[in-house]
Amino acid sequence: MIYFIAPKLSGAGGTETVIINVLNNMNKKGRPVKLLLSEDINKSNWLKKINKNIKIDINKHKGRIEKFIYLFKWSLRFNRIDKIVCLGANSIKYINIFRKLMNKKFTIFSWIHFSLINQEMFNSNNLKYADYHLAISTGIKKQLSGIGISPQKIFVVFNPINLKKGLIQNGSGPYKLIYIGRITFDGQKNLKEMLLALYYLHYKLKVDFQMDFFGSGRDLEKCKEFSKKLKLVNMITWHGWVDKPWEKINSASCTLLSSKFEGFPMVILESLSYGIPVISSDCPTGPEDLIIDNKNGCIYQLGNYADFAQKIFATLKNNYNHFEVSCTINKFETDKYIDNLIHALNHVY
């Protein structure tokens, strides 16, 4: 049995999309899987997308002690041949302690979906309690090695994408720019920098555009107020949280990402799968594995909004072939990914 153990999730992020894809496709290939949610969730609609014959167990009790007890009870059930894939660093530490106390032999994998640096969500040293590691980017593999984990125990598996049957083309009128993700001003998503780049793009480089923001977050009003100060109101539409944003997008010129850190940003994969080029910051992990300069977009220097604007300008003038853009991510196609993941999980025996 392969147990996937996830910590608290928002219910509307890229990690959930990956979990759904992995569980359903491993189940399709006849691999027995279970999903354990060690903390209660606010939004549960995403769980309905998981095949009904896959067992899902949710810890309904709040608090660190309750989580500790929950993981202990499940650890009692794990057998020698089971693989335990943990998305949370603290869970790895707890389960390793339980394994020693019970003198069991099951195998623990880490599967972290965020950069290990510039974050306050977990202690990266807790990852050392895992036996092996599934890295979703080459950048995260480097970070794992940087904290003392042997490269021989790290498997770079990336993340999967279901390749789209249709492409989203450029429309008539102003260029259409897209952002999909949480709305944070100075935090991880760094939308202040994106708004400054849009100001530079319009008022310095004289480019007309329509910018669509899909997402919600604590800084939505702050971002709106800043866009007013920059006199960008007429060029921006704030759609809020949308369940299936790509279904609402009829045309697009490029997708923008200004993150300070990521794991393996699914929005880049999704955009490229529709043939839409991406301009992203050079944050520590993710974009370097996906974006090929002048093939499917480009990467700008984080902290330099003028460079961001220049890269957007160059991308808009490049006139990318949408089909060729979509072909750049064929290696991330789900079937290939699942085979690679299963190979990594089985490699330890």
Side-chain angles (χ1 to χ4, degrees):
M1 179 65 68
I2 303 172
Y3 293 89
F4 290 84
I5 303 180
K8 191 173 185 65
L9 298 170
S10 68
T15 301
E16 290 88 331
T17 300
V18 173
I19 291 173
I20 294 166
N21 203 340
V22 168
L23 290 176
N24 287 345
N25 281 280
M26 292 192 77
N27 178 251
K28 182 180 177 180
K29 287 180 176 286
R31 302 286 171 163
V33 293
K34 287 184 181 180
L35 175 62
L36 309 181
L37 299 176
S38 61
E39 299 176 60
D40 202 1
I41 53 179
N42 296 322
K43 295 180 180 179
S44 61
N45 285 341
W46 67 280
L47 295 175
K48 297 177 183 178
K49 299 176 183 178
I50 296 175
N51 293 344
K52 292 182 179 179
N53 62 327
I54 296 175
K55 180 177 175 56
I56 301 172
D57 192 87
I58 305 174
N59 176 21
K60 295 291 186 178
H61 304 286
K62 297 181 179 180
R64 184 176 296 180
I65 294 176
E66 287 79 5
K67 177 180 178 180
F68 192 86
I69 294 171
Y70 176 83
L71 293 174
F72 175 72
K73 287 181 177 179
W74 271 103
S75 296
L76 290 172
R77 308 182 193 183
F78 298 152
N79 296 316
R80 183 184 64 82
I81 61 172
D82 290 336
K83 275 89 171 181
I84 317 302
V85 182
C86 294
L87 284 74
N90 291 337
S91 297
I92 292 170
K93 181 178 180 180
Y94 295 155
I95 292 171
N96 179 278
I97 292 171
F98 301 149
R99 183 175 61 176
K100 289 181 179 179
L101 289 173
M102 296 179 290
N103 195 29
K104 289 200 170 188
K105 301 294 183 182
F106 54 81
T107 308
I108 304 172
F109 289 81
S110 78
W111 191 33
I112 302 301
H113 287 255
F114 296 93
S115 171
L116 308 189
I117 62 174
N118 298 323
Q119 55 82 27
E120 298 177 351
M121 295 177 288
F122 56 85
N123 182 348
S124 297
N125 285 319
N126 286 346
L127 297 173
K128 297 177 182 179
Y129 291 98
D131 304 301
Y132 299 94
H133 306 267
L134 304 173
I136 63 172
S137 70
T138 55
I140 287 182
K141 179 179 180 178
K142 293 175 185 176
Q143 291 178 355
L144 287 167
S145 297
I147 64 173
I149 293 171
S150 169
Q152 283 70 40
K153 293 186 176 182
I154 306 170
F155 302 91
V156 179
V157 295
F158 300 113
N159 271 338
I161 184 71
N162 292 322
L163 299 180
K164 310 305 178 183
K165 294 181 180 179
L167 302 175
I168 297 177
Q169 307 282 353
N170 293 319
S172 58
Y175 294 111
K176 179 66 77 69
L177 313 181
I178 304 295
Y179 170 81
I180 299 175
R182 290 193 311 280
I183 305 298
T184 59
F185 187 69
D186 283 318
Q188 179 197 358
K189 300 301 182 178
N190 193 28
L191 293 187
K192 177 182 178 181
E193 186 161 286
M194 186 180 297
L195 291 168
L196 287 170
L198 294 177
Y199 172 86
Y200 194 99
L201 180 68
H202 182 69
Y203 290 102
K204 301 294 184 180
L205 301 180
K206 308 301 180 183
V207 176
D208 290 326
F209 61 84
Q210 178 63 42
M211 178 79 209
D212 285 353
F213 284 89
F214 294 89
S216 61
R218 64 189 180 191
D219 294 337
L220 178 58
E221 293 304 318
K222 190 173 184 179
C223 288
K224 286 182 178 181
E225 286 300 316
F226 192 62
S227 69
K228 289 180 183 178
K229 291 180 181 179
L230 298 178
K231 299 180 180 180
L232 295 172
V233 173
N234 294 332
M235 289 163 264
I236 293 177
T237 301
W238 303 91
H239 294 271
W241 187 84
V242 176
D243 185 28
K244 297 179 180 179
W246 294 109
E247 294 183 4
K248 307 294 183 182
I249 300 171
N250 298 318
S251 66
S253 304
C254 61
T255 298
L256 308 182
L257 198 71
S258 52
S259 300
K260 293 180 179 179
F261 63 92
E262 288 284 353
F264 193 78
M266 289 301 294
V267 68
I268 295 181
L269 265 182
E270 290 168 350
S271 179
L272 297 178
S273 73
Y274 284 107
I276 306 169
V278 177
I279 302 96
S280 171
S281 64
D282 58 352
C283 61
T285 71
E288 65 176 335
D289 291 315
L290 297 168
I291 297 176
I292 306 169
D293 196 36
N294 293 322
K295 292 285 187 181
N296 60 9
C298 54
I299 295 175
Y300 80 92
Q301 182 184 18
L302 181 63
N304 188 340
Y305 67 83
D307 183 47
F308 193 2
Q310 293 284 359
K311 294 293 173 60
I312 298 171
F313 179 82
T315 298
L316 296 176
K317 300 301 181 182
N318 191 303
N319 194 26
Y320 282 89
N321 180 294
H322 291 272
F323 175 73
E324 291 178 0
V325 168
S326 70
C327 289
T328 62
I329 60 166
N330 284 341
K331 68 178 181 179
F332 301 105
E333 193 273 329
T334 296
D335 277 345
K336 295 178 182 177
Y337 169 86
I338 295 298
D339 289 341
N340 186 33
L341 178 60
I342 291 173
H343 172 77
L345 293 172
N346 289 339
H347 187 77
V348 301
Y349 291 119

